[in-house]
Amino acid sequence: MLYASVCRTDLLFANGFPIPAFPRVMGHEGVGVVESFGEGVTGLREGDLVIPAYIAECKTCETCMSEKTNLCLKYPLSYNGLMLDGSSRMSIRGQTAYHAFSCSTWCQYLVINVNFLIKIDPKTPLPDASFLSCGFSIGYGATWKEAMVKNGSSVAVFGLGAVGLGAIKGAKSHGAIKVIGIDNNPMKAAKGRAFGMTDFINPEESDKSIAELVKDLTAGMGVDYSFECTGVPPLINQAIQSTKLGTGKIIQMGVEEPNVNINIIGLLVGRTLKGSIFGGLKAKTDLPIIYSKCKNREIQLDELLSHEIKLEDVDSF
């Protein structure tokens, strides 16, 4: 491993969600160099720059050949902290240590199933490579693969972390003309605008609900698409209510709790709520396209990097 980044999902794992498997080595975003590989591995050489992904793509199973989902049947998504054969390749003083998804990136070395690796251009800046291995790409992908944002449309993005900023950039790149960012951190306004946000809502600055504030910015109609990136239960309902009656589409990417209460009336009036894993991206088909946009400076990720620390200092972060 050369470089890793922090995703909110790592904090959920640390708190025992969705499965309390401990001790657990955190981290699923990162970039590294192939040090060695086992028998039967093809397509890689020692020294190749690679990123891990927790979604595989075999390109032969029913779902990989479908445009409807990115969940591979042959190499399925795993939450239990173990590799597909039920083993862990890590231990602490003789005790099994669990992975985060298909790998753990907050470490010096990792062992990973080759089907969860993507080779990338060796000239890719390491911070960019790490951010694109999960967070930013998820948001960008959700606008592209899940919502299929249309030219001239309106969008609301809930939570302006890496996922939310990716959704802003993706929406703008696909022709959205009204892109509303929502966050209670006023510092996120500048970051949102750097990626194409047109309007910013800080819910703490108004007595109105977020949905009301969104409608104030859209002539009372609401937006065509909402992207909910936090998983905070009340915000899910606000994301629903912020979209247009009859046609509004809500893409849910964030997770905070396993069960939430949904205002069903908001959906019965024709809106669509869709869950999304990895932004709907197929790892080997779609991620290289996003990396290419980054290489060509169509996507610039400088605003995502706040600071860097050494691995041994992560506990004090």
Side-chain angles (χ1 to χ4, degrees), residues 34 46 81 84 109 147-148 150 162 194 209 234 267 270 275 281 303 312:
V34 175
E46 291 181 10
L84 294 180
Y109 293 87
M148 301 179 186
K150 299 293 189 297
S209 70
L267 296 178
L281 296 170
E303 289 290 332
E312 54 266 33

Side-chain angles (χ1 to χ4, degrees), residues 98-129:
Y98 293 89
H99 302 244
F101 287 126
S102 62
C103 63
S104 292
T105 59
W106 295 5
C107 56
Q108 290 90 352
Y109 293 87
L110 65 84
V111 176
I112 187 171
N113 185 307
V114 68
N115 294 286
F116 293 90
L117 274 185
I118 297 98
K119 180 180 175 180
I120 63 172
D121 190 315
K123 296 180 181 178
T124 306
L126 295 182
D128 291 0

Side-chain angles (χ1 to χ4, degrees), residues 57-131:
E57 183 186 0
C58 72
K59 297 189 176 184
T60 59
C61 73
E62 177 183 345
T63 55
C64 280
M65 296 178 69
S66 164
E67 290 298 318
K68 296 180 179 179
T69 180
N70 61 342
L71 293 174
C72 180
L73 296 176
K74 188 173 182 179
Y75 305 107
L77 173 67
S78 174
Y79 293 105
N80 63 8
L82 299 172
M83 300 187 76
L84 294 180
D85 63 1
S87 69
S88 168
R89 302 304 172 90
M90 299 180 295
S91 63
I92 299 175
R93 293 184 291 276
Q95 180 182 0
T96 296
Y98 293 89
H99 302 244
F101 287 126
S102 62
C103 63
S104 292
T105 59
W106 295 5
C107 56
Q108 290 90 352
Y109 293 87
L110 65 84
V111 176
I112 187 171
N113 185 307
V114 68
N115 294 286
F116 293 90
L117 274 185
I118 297 98
K119 180 180 175 180
I120 63 172
D121 190 315
K123 296 180 181 178
T124 306
L126 295 182
D128 291 0
S130 187
F131 289 136

